[in-house]
Amino acid sequence: MYQLNARDIRRRNRFGVLQAVYASDGHTSRQDVTRATGLSFATVGNMIAELLDVGVLAELGHDSPGVGRPRARLAINPDRGVLIGVDVAETSIHFDVFDLAMSVLRSSEIPVDPRATTPGDIVELIVRGIGEVIAGDADKVLGIGLSVPGLVEPERGISVFSPYWHWHDVPFEELLEERLPYPLYLDNPLKASTAAQLWFGAGRTVDNLIVVTLRAGVGIGVVVDGMLYRGVTNSAGEWGHTNLVLDGRECRCGRTGCVEAYVGAPGIVRTLRELAPSSPLLDADDALTIAALGTAAQRGDATALAVIEKTGNYLGVAVANLVNLFNPRTMVFGDLVANHLGAPLLEVTRRIAEAHAMTGPFEAVTLQLSTLPHNPASLGAATFALEGFLADRETFGSIAARRALRTSAT
């Protein structure tokens, strides 16, 4: 088993302190952070000193005098730099530029031509998109996080397999490094969306969490005891390619009966075609069809409600399996399908899951829609860039050395 060294522990403490400041939604104090993290006051003080030294945090004065010493108010310094989050999806690439308070400064989206999906084609689109959104902040970029579909090896920056474009072992980060002079952090949308929830969503208040991503591809991110679970090869969470229906629909992974074939966007569109082949809700673009289904369901359209009912039946069974396997406290549903089909789909899913899950685990879990205000994959990708900056040995190692020298001099 991997043992944490002193640097790992320090980095984890740094993350925990900064997460507590983000969760304060405004300003906080060293005492408040100590209570929120469970760390010692001395450890919190050291971590905050480092974050102040690099400009990530700022002191905003002190609380009004009362009993005892006034408390220094702390907040994120949004002007310290910018982070770029890139969500590479099957039909488009979404770009967000965040300040350090994780407010979106600029956004852009570029369509992906289905006839031009080689790694070189996608790299070209990413470079172009970043050039469009970076504006006058080129010298302030702390890092770029990229969410790339399929199986990814983050440490080597490799797209191991992409079911959309049939990539195999593509050195994607290396290709981008030739064109972009910034630190790059690569992972897939399941891990990215889960990181976003850990830092800025439901993961702030629970330690055992499952984040369900419902888009063209389907999968989960699993958080156990407050830590993102990756598995041995970073492929944990490929729930979309677990079997739901024996000898069922063919899936893009080459197998049959996968969860994704029924509750991913193309699978839901297929269900609509089966129920109403000439439905006016159908569009050549699956995302537009899903949006139309959601709008029609709000009007009480019988066909849309029938599609949601059938999809919710499949999703409910698959969710019940997750409840039984992981016994989570919270399950969060997000991305395209959840955004548009939302409450009606969740209602059916909850009803079916309750009928198929074990009673105790189901009573303990909360099923909810994501409340993140931004694209979860791009936000999570930017979060990986933030984590990379916070883990940078050169930046924080030099700070620790300078502080040690100052201490020894006194």
Side-chain angles (χ1 to χ4, degrees):
M1 181 181 292
Y2 175 74
Q3 297 294 320
L4 294 178
N5 59 34
R7 185 180 292 112
D8 295 328
I9 294 170
R10 194 172 191 88
R11 182 173 64 244
R12 182 176 291 183
N13 290 343
R14 193 181 297 135
F15 287 5
V17 166
L18 194 60
Q19 284 173 322
V21 179
Y22 276 116
S24 68
D25 295 324
H27 68 266
T28 188
S29 68
R30 290 168 175 79
Q31 291 84 352
D32 292 336
V33 173
T34 299
R35 283 192 292 270
T37 60
L39 298 171
S40 72
F41 188 77
T43 296
V44 168
N46 286 333
M47 297 300 99
I48 287 175
E50 289 185 0
L51 293 167
L52 286 168
D53 278 345
V54 295
V56 172
L57 294 183
E59 288 191 336
L60 304 179
H62 294 76
D63 290 330
S64 300
V67 177
R69 180 182 300 175
R71 296 179 176 183
R73 292 185 291 119
L74 302 163
I76 303 295
N77 175 16
D79 299 324
R80 173 59 177 83
V82 299
L83 302 160
I84 300 177
V86 182
D87 175 19
V88 181
E90 181 180 15
T91 59
S92 64
I93 303 177
H94 183 85
F95 304 83
D96 283 318
V97 180
F98 299 87
D99 64 18
L100 214 58
M102 304 313 282
S103 299
V104 174
L105 302 178
R106 288 173 296 278
S107 297
S108 179
E109 194 157 291
I110 297 177
V112 173
D113 184 341
R115 299 163 298 181
T117 57
T118 68
D121 294 327
I122 302 302
V123 164
E124 200 65 41
L125 293 178
I126 291 172
V127 172
R128 186 182 111 202
I130 289 174
E132 291 176 358
V133 298
I134 205 168
D137 291 325
D139 60 341
K140 297 174 63 178
V141 176
L142 302 177
I144 298 173
L146 300 112
S147 167
V148 180
L151 301 182
V152 171
E153 284 188 16
E155 291 185 1
R156 296 198 297 150
I158 291 176
S159 172
V160 177
F161 172 64
S162 170
Y164 296 156
W165 306 314
H166 304 290
W167 292 359
H168 291 273
D169 298 318
V170 174
F172 201 63
E173 188 173 304
E174 182 180 319
L175 295 175
L176 285 164
E177 284 175 341
E178 296 173 359
R179 305 286 301 279
L180 296 169
Y182 308 110
L184 301 172
Y185 305 91
L186 191 72
D187 216 314
N188 72 10
L190 307 180
K191 306 300 190 301
S193 296
T194 306
Q197 292 291 344
L198 269 173
W199 277 80
F200 308 107
R204 286 176 168 181
T205 56
V206 298
D207 288 335
N208 292 281
L209 171 74
I210 291 179
V211 179
V212 182
T213 296
L214 300 171
R215 55 201 291 179
V218 167
I220 60 170
V222 181
V223 176
V224 178
D225 293 335
M227 299 294 293
L228 174 61
Y229 178 70
R230 293 181 172 276
V232 176
T233 61
N234 197 48
S235 64
E238 291 296 331
W239 163 74
H241 299 294
T242 58
N243 192 269
L244 180 63
V245 179
L246 289 176
D247 302 319
R249 294 175 179 174
E250 184 176 346
C251 180
R252 286 181 296 181
C253 72
R255 296 169 180 81
T256 61
C258 292
V259 171
E260 182 175 297
Y262 295 89
V263 304
I268 296 171
V269 172
R270 177 170 174 174
T271 298
L272 172 59
R273 286 199 178 96
E274 290 172 352
L275 293 177
S278 58
S279 171
L281 302 175
L282 287 165
D283 189 281
D285 186 328
D286 287 349
L288 294 178
T289 300
I290 297 299
L293 274 169
T295 301
Q298 291 175 6
R299 298 195 308 263
D301 181 87
T303 298
L305 292 173
V307 171
I308 289 174
E309 180 71 25
K310 192 164 187 178
T311 301
N313 272 266
Y314 289 125
L315 184 57
V317 172
V319 163
N321 291 338
L322 293 176
V323 172
N324 289 347
L325 281 169
F326 292 103
N327 190 201
R329 172 63 64 190
T330 301
M331 293 184 68
V332 181
F333 298 78
D335 225 296
L336 173 72
V337 171
N339 291 345
H340 288 294
L341 304 187
L345 179 61
L346 189 60
E347 181 181 343
V348 179
T349 299
R350 183 181 287 112
R351 169 166 46 86
I352 300 302
E354 183 177 17
H356 288 83
M358 296 171 63
T359 301
F362 187 80
E363 289 179 345
V365 71
T366 298
L367 309 184
Q368 65 185 60
L369 297 172
S370 173
T371 58
L372 291 174
H374 310 305
N375 176 306
S378 64
L379 175 60
T383 302
F384 288 137
L386 173 64
E387 291 179 350
F389 172 71
L390 292 175
D392 185 75
R393 293 185 184 183
E394 183 176 342
T395 299
F396 286 92
S398 62
I399 287 171
R402 289 199 305 270
R403 294 186 69 239
L405 285 173
R406 289 199 300 266
T407 301
S408 63
T410 58

